[in-house]
Amino acid sequence: MADTTAPAPPVDPAAWTCPAPLRDQPVVVMGHGGGGALSAELVEHVFAPAYGNPTLAALADSAVVELGGARLAFSTDSHVVRPLFFPGGSIGDLAVNGTVNDLAMSGAVPAYLSTAFVLEEGVDMGVVDRVARAVGAAARAAGVTVATGDTKVVEAGHGDGVYITTAGIGVVPAGVDIRPQRARPGDAVLVSGPIGLHGVAIMSVREGIEFGAEVASDTAPLASLVAAMLEVTPDLHALRDPTRGGLAASLHEIARASGTGVRLTERAVPVPDAVANACGFLGLDPLYVANEGRLVAFVPRQEADAVLAAMRAHPQGTGAVIIGECVADHPGMVVASTGLGGTRVVDLPLGEQLPRIC
């Protein structure tokens, strides 16, 4: 008997759809605040279309605007870290240093900050006083003035003790143009010191895990380090402070914005033993662990050695090293040469491995 079954019509690949897209989220999830792919999608598909303007489109750590004949850097950041106090710092230090460093990544000299506190009903007033004093001390250390602020209180159970939002402004020196779009093939990629300390410090306190030695957060202001680098050359191409999403997320942001690739030498990336041990124990990758006192720089190769020397002469850059280069290959991607002679792709994380770290 002949087979009378008609052949299936050809399928148009353009009509294919995925029934359950992996990142099709109808509600906000923790990963949207983690500095990875989910955060980028939230900005790209919600906030950027709603606010759409050329200044925002740069998507740098701080916006550079002209006002009254001056070039100003302007940035804002919210801090929801848990716990409020940890080895090496507190939410107060982070509130200042996080915004100061965002301004510094545009080459600006930070000048003024505002602080907005959201307090939960029932929080101990001694805790609030301790946090406020930490803000004041960190501002003095960074050379900035807390010029204004606000306070709100929410009902018990509708907060987590203390949240802080800071905004800051600073002046960008003439001739300085630092932004992720300026990274170029041939640039050397430098990092200012050991990575992963902040994320592991938070983890050790929050989870009650010991890793053989106390790990302290690296939280610190970086504006004076950037100033020392600019004294060598005003032609720094791109800077980032690798906070949420770690070093990997910052490198991806620069690669994507500039349309270039990044090639790391994995063994050159400075990972402290305590961080390596913690990540090995918990199955984490140090490249994705948050930092609060480190920067990554894309510098013209001919200037890299002099910039590196200036960084190492500064207290916040004593551990600076060259970890890779910017390349024309694989634009928008980050790869790492491994110790075994292979190459691996360093993906952009979906979200932060450890939420609520800043």
Side-chain angles (χ1 to χ4, degrees), residues 9 54 58 75-76 118 121 129 138 162 189 193 198 221 245 255 265 269 285 289 299 321 327 332 337 342 352 355 358:
S75 185
T76 188
V118 177
E121 181 184 25
D129 179 70
V162 178
V189 180
H198 177 71
T265 300
V269 179
D285 186 333
V289 178
V299 179
V321 291
V327 297
S337 301
E352 175 59 52
C358 64

Side-chain angles (χ1 to χ4, degrees), residues 191-353:
V191 68
S192 63
I195 66 169
L197 291 167
H198 177 71
V200 171
I202 295 293
M203 188 187 315
S204 65
V205 176
R206 187 185 299 176
E207 308 301 334
I209 303 174
E210 296 183 1
F211 302 109
E214 181 179 84
V215 179
S217 171
D218 58 0
T219 177
L222 298 174
S224 61
L225 173 60
V226 174
M229 297 164 67
L230 288 170
E231 287 182 5
V232 175
T233 175
D235 192 30
L236 302 179
H237 285 171
L239 297 175
R240 270 287 198 270
D241 58 331
T243 54
R244 298 175 303 165
L247 180 62
S250 291
L251 294 176
H252 266 278
E253 290 170 359
I254 295 173
R256 181 178 178 184
S258 61
T260 63
V262 176
R263 182 183 297 121
L264 299 179
T265 300
E266 196 166 49
R267 285 186 171 177
V269 179
V271 180
D273 289 342
V275 172
N277 292 339
C279 289
F281 177 72
L282 296 168
L284 305 177
D285 186 333
L287 292 177
Y288 299 104
V289 178
N291 313 270
E292 287 292 343
R294 298 289 180 256
L295 65 78
V296 59
F298 284 59
V299 179
R301 188 63 189 86
Q302 66 271 20
E303 306 282 3
D305 291 338
V307 171
L308 182 63
M311 294 172 73
R312 288 176 170 174
H314 189 280
Q316 297 302 333
T318 55
V321 291
I322 296 175
I323 60 171
E325 62 180 339
C326 186
V327 297
D329 299 335
H330 49 78
M333 293 180 60
V334 180
V335 303
S337 301
T338 69
L340 299 177
T343 300
R344 71 181 179 99
V345 174
V346 180
D347 290 325
L348 180 65
L350 281 180
E352 175 59 52
Q353 296 179 111

